[in-house]
Amino acid sequence: MLVRLLYVSRAVDKDCSKSAIESILEVSRAHNLHNGITGVLCYGGGVFLQAIEGGRDSVNRLYNHIVEDKRHSDVVLLHYEEISERRFGGWTMGQVNLSKLNTSIVLKYSERPEFDPYSVSGKVSLALLEELMATASIIGRA
């Protein structure tokens, strides 16, 4: 059974460096490839928004690991659903820099020009991710 999970968290290190993000993505991609997990990681302003898809057991194990990861705080589950097919199947872990999003796209889904996943529903965050995918804003196919 396939599921999709969407969560938001805050980076403990608010100045999370590009090299720290690259390290997270490298480890994620290696782990995800062997566990049948796909998805996208968005980051910016000290916030992570991540969608992960895969088998229910694998996704649940990964989410439990993320909740326990000391690099995150304020982890909030935004959306969880059974799915018939993946939306992010082209990425073992794609990436988006939230601080570089086009303001017009952000304002389509948010009250303010800075996207804050904590202030919108999981469905809205998922809709934003789908638009980013449609506009080729997600990078890092692997």
Side-chain angles (χ1 to χ4, degrees):
M1 170 184 302
L2 290 173
V3 298
R4 178 179 305 113
L5 181 150
L6 183 66
Y7 77 89
V8 63
S9 67
R10 296 191 194 285
V12 170
D13 177 7
K14 300 294 185 221
D15 299 320
C16 199
S17 68
K18 183 176 179 172
S19 63
I21 298 295
E22 289 300 323
S23 175
I24 290 168
L25 287 165
E26 184 179 325
V27 170
S28 294
R29 288 174 177 145
H31 171 269
N32 294 352
L33 179 64
H34 297 298
N35 289 283
I37 292 178
T38 57
V40 60
L41 175 67
C42 305
Y43 56 89
V47 173
F48 291 102
L49 172 67
Q50 186 171 29
I52 51 179
E53 302 170 321
R56 182 172 48 198
D57 290 342
S58 294
V59 168
N60 290 347
R61 262 193 311 277
L62 177 57
Y63 180 68
N64 287 331
H65 175 75
I66 289 165
V67 169
E68 297 297 321
D69 189 327
K70 300 300 181 202
R71 296 174 293 183
H72 298 267
S73 66
D74 304 327
V75 179
V76 175
L77 180 64
L78 298 175
H79 187 76
Y80 186 95
E81 66 180 325
E82 294 177 0
I83 57 174
S84 58
E85 62 184 36
R86 298 172 193 248
R87 289 190 180 141
F88 306 105
W91 296 275
T92 51
M93 194 48 59
Q95 67 186 54
V96 174
N97 187 334
L98 290 173
S99 61
K100 294 188 178 185
L101 292 181
N102 181 311
T103 303
S104 63
I105 291 175
V106 173
L107 285 172
K108 185 174 177 180
Y109 299 99
S110 177
E111 295 176 13
R112 305 181 54 81
E114 303 83 28
F115 186 70
D116 178 10
Y118 285 100
S119 67
V120 298
S121 72
K123 288 186 178 189
V124 167
S125 293
L126 191 56
L128 172 64
L129 291 178
E130 289 173 347
E131 178 146 345
L132 295 175
M133 185 173 60
T135 59
S137 297
I138 299 174
I139 61 172
R141 282 194 183 269

